[in-house]
Amino acid sequence: GIGYLDGVNPSLIFSAKNRNPDKSFNMIVTAWTWSNGSMVQKWKWLRGNQNCPDGHNIRIIDVDGDGKDEIIPFGFVLKPNGTLLYTLGSKGVVHGDRFHVGDLDPGRPGLEGYAIQQDNASGLFWVLFDAKTGTILKSQTVPGEIKDLARGCALDLDPQYPGYELYTFTDGVYNVSGSRTSTVLPDSYPNMRLWWDGDVLSEMLDNGKFIKWNYLTSLEGRLFTARDVIQVGPKTPGIYGDILGDWREEVVYASADNQSIRIYTTPVPTNIRLYTLAHNPAYRNCLTTKGYYQSNMVDYYFGQDMNMPSNPNIVLVGTGPLTLQENTSGFCGVEGMVESNHL
């Protein structure tokens, strides 16, 4: 993925493992920058025997608000200089397949992380933690039950409760207060969070299905189905994100015959005016990471009763600051940049 370790210039972050003869793993994280026509290594971090649980992707996000990105390979955080900030390994966290980092709880300062577990011997299913300090805020443990919770999602499904809901293969949907908001799980996998229709609640994307959760009936409704497309990996698109403008997210698949690329965009108008998500640093970093596919996240609270974030200071090289304007289709665009008409 791409991160801004000095707050200004992009660096390439590379996390990799190989397996030892005893089936344990070596793990390395390196940072690279472009200098004088070549890639130069800024630093190298070796896990060795440190208790730093990894996953299958990385999050690159500024967890302490100093303008410089930290690197989160799952259950531990590296500082911009490549040294260890903290690890959740000492708190009983082991390997897991999915995790989210963002402002999941608007009632507390800073960012939070939500991580699911794979075969945790203590029966730990998931944790909600302070992304800056590693403090465990909420968790669910069922002693004696060891599960591989292969998917998990943090998203705002229910406007009746502040903050995001946390959803994996347990006994229901939980909120950031640790309370169960529904004893019924959606039928679909907790695969991807999606902003698709005109409100600020989250939708879901799984196996080509665009889904809206009905929090009053605890039932999911189908908004759209992408048919005759190629699924990448575990039932995911090739890429998705706010790539055309407006703040809703597009979903990109290859056609089943591999002869075309299909870009699906929302047909729903909205009166919510918000800057393009790709101009948010955390979201833009999410678009660059490659590994097990995970939901894109912003670094502010995006959900029911949210405060609108201030417009970013957007400047194109060789021009002055750009101004927001409304185009003829009624969607928010940026003067001097390509605007999208959502049909």
Side-chain angles (χ1 to χ4, degrees):
I2 302 296
Y4 293 78
L5 305 182
D6 61 0
V8 178
N9 300 293
S11 293
L12 175 66
I13 311 300
F14 182 61
S15 175
K17 299 190 300 182
N18 67 349
R19 192 183 291 272
N20 296 314
D22 64 359
K23 296 189 177 181
S24 65
F25 285 102
N26 292 312
M27 183 178 182
I28 183 173
V29 181
T30 55
W32 303 78
T33 188
W34 184 256
S35 178
N36 297 322
S38 62
M39 294 296 291
V40 177
Q41 183 174 293
K42 291 173 64 70
W43 50 256
K44 175 174 64 176
W45 179 85
L46 297 174
R47 179 169 60 182
N49 59 3
Q50 299 176 86
N51 186 3
C52 297
D54 62 273
H56 292 285
N57 205 330
I58 54 176
R59 297 283 186 182
I60 304 173
I61 185 171
D62 176 13
V63 301
D64 56 11
D66 67 353
K68 302 175 183 179
D69 288 328
E70 279 74 34
I71 298 96
I72 313 176
F74 182 75
F76 65 99
V77 176
L78 298 179
K79 299 177 185 179
N81 64 5
T83 61
L84 184 66
L85 178 61
Y86 66 80
T87 176
L88 300 178
S90 59
K91 302 176 182 180
V93 172
V94 301
H95 170 88
D97 285 359
R98 293 290 188 279
F99 70 112
H100 295 66
V101 178
D103 192 356
L104 311 183
D105 183 355
R108 63 181 308 278
L111 307 179
E112 297 79 36
Y114 167 66
I116 63 172
Q117 291 286 269
Q118 179 175 317
D119 299 334
N120 192 306
S122 70
L124 180 64
F125 286 169
W126 55 264
V127 294
L128 180 72
F129 60 95
D130 185 302
K132 179 179 178 180
T133 66
T135 302
I136 302 294
L137 304 173
K138 301 293 177 182
S139 63
Q140 184 182 13
T141 300
V142 182
E145 286 199 33
I146 302 175
K147 285 187 175 182
D148 179 0
L149 301 167
R151 302 289 178 272
C153 225
L155 64 178
D156 190 14
L157 294 177
D158 193 335
Q160 301 174 110
Y161 303 93
Y164 277 33
E165 278 67 50
L166 313 173
Y167 158 39
T168 184
F169 298 110
T170 57
D171 57 348
V173 178
Y174 284 78
N175 64 13
V176 291
S177 298
S179 301
R180 191 167 55 176
T181 63
S182 174
T183 59
V184 179
L185 291 176
D187 293 331
S188 299
Y189 273 36
N191 214 354
M192 316 292 290
R193 185 220 33 80
L194 181 69
W195 286 306
W196 179 259
D197 64 12
D199 63 36
V200 296
L201 295 177
S202 299
E203 287 71 56
M204 297 180 284
L205 175 65
D206 174 58
N207 198 23
K209 298 175 293 184
F210 297 58
I211 300 158
K212 185 76 171 180
W213 177 248
N214 187 325
Y215 58 90
L216 297 175
T217 62
S218 292
L219 296 171
E220 64 177 46
R222 187 75 59 85
L223 300 176
F224 179 71
T225 303
R227 302 187 184 279
D228 301 320
V229 295
I230 295 175
Q231 301 279 353
V232 180
K235 303 177 181 179
T236 60
I239 191 171
Y240 90 102
D242 181 13
I243 60 177
L244 296 184
D246 178 84
W247 55 268
R248 272 80 62 80
E249 295 177 298
E250 284 72 44
V251 184
V252 182
Y253 295 96
S255 61
D257 61 7
N258 242 336
Q259 297 300 304
S260 62
I261 292 176
R262 296 182 178 179
I263 303 176
Y264 295 96
T265 188
T266 181
V268 183
T270 182
N271 59 4
I272 296 171
R273 292 296 177 259
L274 182 68
Y275 70 77
T276 302
L277 297 186
H279 286 124
N280 179 261
Y283 191 92
R284 186 170 59 250
N285 289 352
C286 282
L287 290 176
T288 71
T289 59
K290 296 293 177 282
Y292 275 19
Y293 209 172
Q294 301 193 131
S295 302
N296 304 316
M297 304 294 290
V298 292
D299 57 16
Y300 57 87
Y301 173 65
F302 193 135
Q304 185 69 23
D305 299 324
M306 66 183 285
N307 295 318
M308 289 294 135
S310 58
N311 290 330
N313 182 21
I314 304 168
V315 178
L316 288 181
V317 175
T319 73
L322 302 177
T323 58
L324 293 176
Q325 68 174 14
E326 191 167 304
N327 62 29
T328 56
S329 67
F331 291 95
C332 190
V334 180
E335 184 178 354
M337 299 183 73
V338 176
E339 299 172 351
S340 63
N341 293 313
H342 292 245
L343 304 178

